[in-house]
Amino acid sequence: MKKFLAQRFVFAIMSLVAATLIVFVLSRMAGDPLLLYAKPGGYGMSEEQIAALSEKLALDRPLIVQYFIWLGRVVTGDFGVTLLAERDVRTVVFEKLGATIQLGIAAFVLATLIGIPLGVVSAIARGTVWDYFGRTFALLGQATPSFFMGIVGILIFAVTLDWLPPGGRPVDESFWPHQVRALALPTLTLGLLPAAGYLRLTRSSMLEVLDSEYVKLARAKGVNVNTVIWKHAFRNALIPPITVSALILIGFLEGSVLVESVFAWPGVGRLAVDSIHNNDFPLLTGVIFMFAILYVAGSFLADMLYLVIDPRIRYD
Amino acid sequence: MATDTASVASTAQSPTTSDQQSFFSKLWYVLRRWPVIPIIVVALLIFMALSAPWLAPYGQDEQNLRARQAPPIWYTEFYEENERVTDRFILGADHLGRDILTRIMYGARISLAVAGISLVVGMAVGATLGMVSGFYGKLFDELMMRLVDVWNASPFLLIAILAAIVFGQSVTVLLVLLILATWAGVVRNVRAEVLTLKTRDYVAYSRVAGGSDLRIMWRHLTPGLINTVVVLITLRVGGLILTEAGLSFLGAGVPSNIPTWGNMVSDARQYLNTAWWMAVFPGMAILLIVMSVNFIGDWLRDRWDPRLRQL
């Protein structure tokens, strides 16, 4: 167990180094780093400014040294200031994090509430209309591009029916109904794909468990059907869906990039896209670094969940 | 899913005594057994893509500024009221008066070609690395597996966008990015397969007969891997099309003057209030093809390689 933890820790560090290395190399390939800081209006920086920047970025040193200096600053949380508004990158990112977390949690709850019950029903009523409904839902959910789903949602519920706002996040308005209404479409859009994933996973693992010997035994000795399904089968069938839930949460990060830009949801995903359109490199680096940390933490969590939930698994 | 369809099918009447069966129950039997409809859909879309220069009603960039946002052909009032619009647009026209159907057909060329090329190259790279990894083992194997882990733990979408900015938007950059998105998905599966295949007797015989490593890998291991790789390809193609469309949508894919399905949906965002057809039809095209290939992939997997069921 300790060995496993140590291995995972080393791996987490390696992942972070790799992600930052990619970002660093790409950001250096973007051209002279000094030019990034030259404003369109005042192109000519003063000699002192250039010297100070060169000193800070260590541009006269070998590339590998530059990387470690850059990494050192990044690790201590110094991402610099955004190019556009010249604000601290960390502050800007943390400001937007709340909106993304709110959306992520809502979508996660929705995906769980739709995917797992439908998966169970689909498995126990296999071959019936319910099963076909569940499988069609899964097929559709996995094939619909989230941005397209979002646009169709806006088209139907905002443009045509005028029930829900087409986007934005009304922070100043009351939670109910305004904020919830604004949250509805992005949540649906972000939650659809994981709902389909949960459904497939729950269905296949439920089918597998229902086919196992101990379930047959329970049935043979006359245990009530509902008890067999919910007490014997369902609990064990939940192992795969629960263990992937950490990965699904990570997937929301990537999903949020698309969904937030469709709905103008002021979260981290949209921040990333905006920073790209504004060529705001320090900001983008900060966002990617934060994503990488969450990624690594998420996959670590996924491994831990396996251990906690399924005692049969031992990483030794 | 094959087990499902098989069991469901076996409870239906046997097809050999089908004289009493109606045409529809026979049809239903075939449809449940084989992915007929998805195959037809994919074939049609590929045909549309290939024949775009000959069958498309208009040119790819042909504009008709009088017919900006002209609705689909069944909005007959529009065409009656605007007599000066002599062209007819089956699926409507976009904000520059370009025909949506034409652009969907041309878009299919790019979208499908990009997905196809990157998938084949990415799979070939991944399968080769997996084979070498499993065959030689030791340090290379260890490094390879860690590399795959690390890559899978990276925020691909953001790195892709970053790369698109640094290198500029082009089809080449997109291809490289999509290959990068693909390769890591096969290494592990192929490696696992090779680990069992290489202990087979025929591999040992070949070794005794003086077969080189290369010969063993190519003549004796590769044939055993084809099922797995083909199944993985069909399972991944849908996701790859979605990735390509997503990148185009975010402005990090194919340059926006080239019609792709993702670009078309992206353009349409500003005109949702006035021209729903601009977004809906290209989006439906993506949805249709991804759903079809996923369906075929599921079916192939259950037939050829049920061990991959976790995917």
Side-chain angles (χ1 to χ4, degrees):
Chain A
M1 183 66 195
K2 267 185 190 156
K3 191 182 158 210
F4 171 71
L5 277 178
Q7 271 178 353
R8 287 301 313 188
F9 187 72
V10 172
F11 167 66
I13 301 289
M14 274 170 58
S15 300
L16 280 179
V17 169
T20 50
L21 197 62
I22 294 173
V23 172
F24 176 79
V25 169
L26 282 176
S27 68
R28 282 297 182 264
M29 281 170 124
D32 187 349
L34 283 177
L35 286 183
L36 282 177
Y37 292 89
K39 292 257 151 126
Y43 188 79
M45 284 186 292
S46 68
E47 289 293 323
E48 299 92 74
Q49 278 176 312
I50 291 181
L53 256 178
S54 298
E55 168 102 44
K56 193 180 177 199
L57 300 174
L59 292 178
D60 51 343
R61 314 277 281 278
L63 208 61
I64 187 79
V65 178
Q66 288 185 34
Y67 168 67
F68 281 110
I69 290 173
W70 178 81
L71 191 65
R73 284 197 297 120
V74 163
V75 165
T76 51
D78 175 17
F79 291 95
V81 292
T82 66
L83 293 183
L84 216 62
E86 296 200 332
R87 298 178 55 206
D88 183 34
V89 167
R90 233 174 358 156
T91 330
V92 176
V93 171
F94 279 127
E95 267 174 20
K96 305 279 180 182
L97 202 55
T100 301
I101 291 176
Q102 186 190 28
L103 181 57
I105 291 176
F108 186 70
V109 171
L110 183 83
T112 317
L113 289 184
I114 294 179
I116 292 184
L118 259 181
V120 172
V121 169
S122 194
I124 49 184
R126 181 170 149 182
T128 65
V129 182
W130 285 105
D131 189 17
Y132 279 102
F133 173 73
R135 279 156 62 188
T136 311
F137 176 82
L139 210 57
L140 271 173
Q142 290 195 315
T144 314
S146 57
F147 57 89
F148 178 58
M149 159 99 185
I151 282 181
V152 172
I154 292 176
L155 204 56
I156 295 175
F157 294 105
V159 175
T160 311
L161 298 174
D162 201 18
W163 289 354
L164 300 167
R169 182 178 184 236
V171 199
D172 303 327
E173 313 240 5
S174 59
F175 182 74
W176 177 267
H178 292 103
Q179 289 201 30
V180 174
R181 269 160 43 105
L183 195 59
L185 275 180
T187 306
L188 256 174
T189 310
L190 191 59
L192 183 72
L193 180 71
Y198 270 145
L199 194 158
R200 281 179 68 126
L201 212 58
T202 313
R203 179 175 181 276
S204 71
S205 85
M206 192 74 186
L207 281 176
E208 208 160 289
V209 173
L210 283 176
D211 198 39
S212 66
E213 296 296 322
Y214 72 90
V215 167
K216 284 181 195 152
L217 174 74
R219 281 208 172 136
K221 72 180 184 188
V223 178
N224 177 294
V225 179
N226 279 321
T227 318
V228 172
I229 289 173
W230 294 110
K231 208 170 161 196
H232 294 78
F234 180 62
R235 287 183 171 188
N236 279 305
L238 269 186
I239 293 174
I242 290 179
T243 44
V244 298
S245 52
L247 298 176
I248 282 182
L249 282 173
I250 298 178
F252 282 148
L253 286 176
E254 207 131 287
S256 71
V257 174
L258 282 163
V259 173
E260 286 179 5
S261 56
V262 171
F263 290 102
W265 188 259
V268 185
R270 181 138 180 271
L271 185 70
V273 177
D274 284 348
S275 70
I276 285 160
H277 290 308
N278 297 331
N279 265 328
D280 200 331
F281 236 93
L283 185 55
L284 186 61
T285 317
V287 175
I288 293 185
F289 191 75
M290 193 201 67
F291 268 45
I293 289 180
L294 290 176
Y295 257 66
V296 170
S299 51
F300 186 73
L301 198 69
D303 283 336
M304 290 296 110
L305 274 178
Y306 272 111
L307 278 177
V308 175
I309 288 170
D310 193 347
R312 286 170 299 183
I313 297 173
R314 283 283 164 258
Y315 293 109
D316 291 323
Chain B
M1 229 179 261
T3 50
D4 299 352
T5 41
S7 66
V8 171
S10 63
T11 56
Q13 284 169 352
S14 157
T16 47
T17 59
S18 58
D19 287 355
Q20 309 92 333
Q21 277 185 311
S22 71
F23 170 73
F24 288 105
S25 65
K26 270 191 270 183
L27 184 71
W28 181 227
Y29 174 81
V30 172
L31 287 184
R32 265 192 309 203
R33 198 112 212 235
W34 309 88
V36 182
I37 296 176
I39 288 176
I40 294 176
V41 169
V42 173
L44 264 179
L45 283 171
I46 292 177
F47 175 73
M48 258 174 59
L50 291 178
S51 60
W54 300 280
L55 286 190
Y58 297 93
Q60 175 177 325
D61 297 315
E62 195 179 322
Q63 299 181 3
N64 180 343
L65 291 178
R66 266 192 201 133
R68 278 186 307 236
Q69 301 187 21
I73 199 162
W74 55 86
Y75 282 71
T76 38
E77 314 98 60
F78 172 86
Y79 290 100
E80 278 159 17
E81 279 168 26
N82 299 279
E83 282 168 12
R84 296 173 71 186
V85 180
T86 48
D87 292 333
R88 289 290 176 272
F89 302 99
I90 297 176
L91 299 182
D94 68 6
H95 56 295
L96 296 174
R98 296 175 298 194
D99 182 41
I100 298 278
L101 177 64
T102 303
R103 287 176 76 76
I104 289 181
M105 290 173 83
Y106 278 99
R109 291 164 84 87
I110 307 283
S111 295
L112 297 182
V114 163
I117 294 172
S118 52
L119 195 67
V120 169
V121 176
M123 285 280 163
V125 171
T128 312
L129 289 175
M131 168 122 74
V132 173
S133 210
F135 190 75
Y136 290 108
K138 300 208 178 98
L139 186 64
F140 182 81
D141 185 30
E142 188 62 30
L143 285 177
M144 205 65 231
M145 289 301 105
R146 292 294 82 77
L147 188 64
V148 170
D149 284 342
V150 168
W151 179 249
N152 284 337
S154 321
F156 171 75
L157 197 59
L158 286 186
I159 292 177
I161 299 174
L162 183 60
I165 305 244
V166 171
F167 300 111
Q169 277 185 22
S170 75
V171 177
T172 325
V173 172
L174 182 69
L175 273 177
V176 172
L177 285 174
L178 290 180
I179 289 169
L180 283 174
T182 320
W183 72 276
V186 261
V187 177
R188 204 174 283 280
N189 292 313
V190 168
R191 171 182 172 270
E193 196 84 352
V194 168
L195 283 182
T196 59
L197 283 180
K198 76 172 182 182
T199 60
R200 296 284 170 85
D201 284 344
Y202 58 77
V203 174
Y205 294 151
S206 174
R207 172 84 63 208
V208 170
S212 65
D213 286 355
L214 263 182
R215 185 183 168 83
I216 291 175
M217 281 194 263
W218 180 244
R219 293 296 296 266
H220 302 294
L221 296 183
T222 308
L225 295 172
I226 287 180
N227 277 5
T228 309
V229 172
V230 169
V231 169
L232 283 171
I233 285 183
T234 42
L235 285 177
R236 298 258 192 258
V237 65
L240 205 65
I241 293 174
L242 288 182
T243 308
E244 186 270 323
L247 283 174
S248 293
F249 180 77
L250 289 175
V254 176
S256 56
N257 56 340
I258 302 176
T260 67
W261 296 341
N263 279 343
M264 291 174 73
V265 179
S266 183
D267 285 346
R269 264 196 293 179
Q270 292 165 282
Y271 306 96
L272 271 189
N273 283 320
T274 45
W276 58 267
W277 47 90
M278 278 179 66
V280 168
F281 293 119
M284 290 300 284
I286 304 176
L287 176 63
L288 259 182
I289 189 133
V290 175
M291 201 156 82
S292 304
V293 291
N294 281 353
F295 198 91
I296 297 172
D298 282 348
W299 181 80
L300 259 187
R301 175 198 53 201
D302 291 334
R303 292 241 141 174
W304 284 5
D305 208 340
R307 281 164 305 161
L308 294 173
R309 239 185 33 180
Q310 294 289 328
L311 293 176

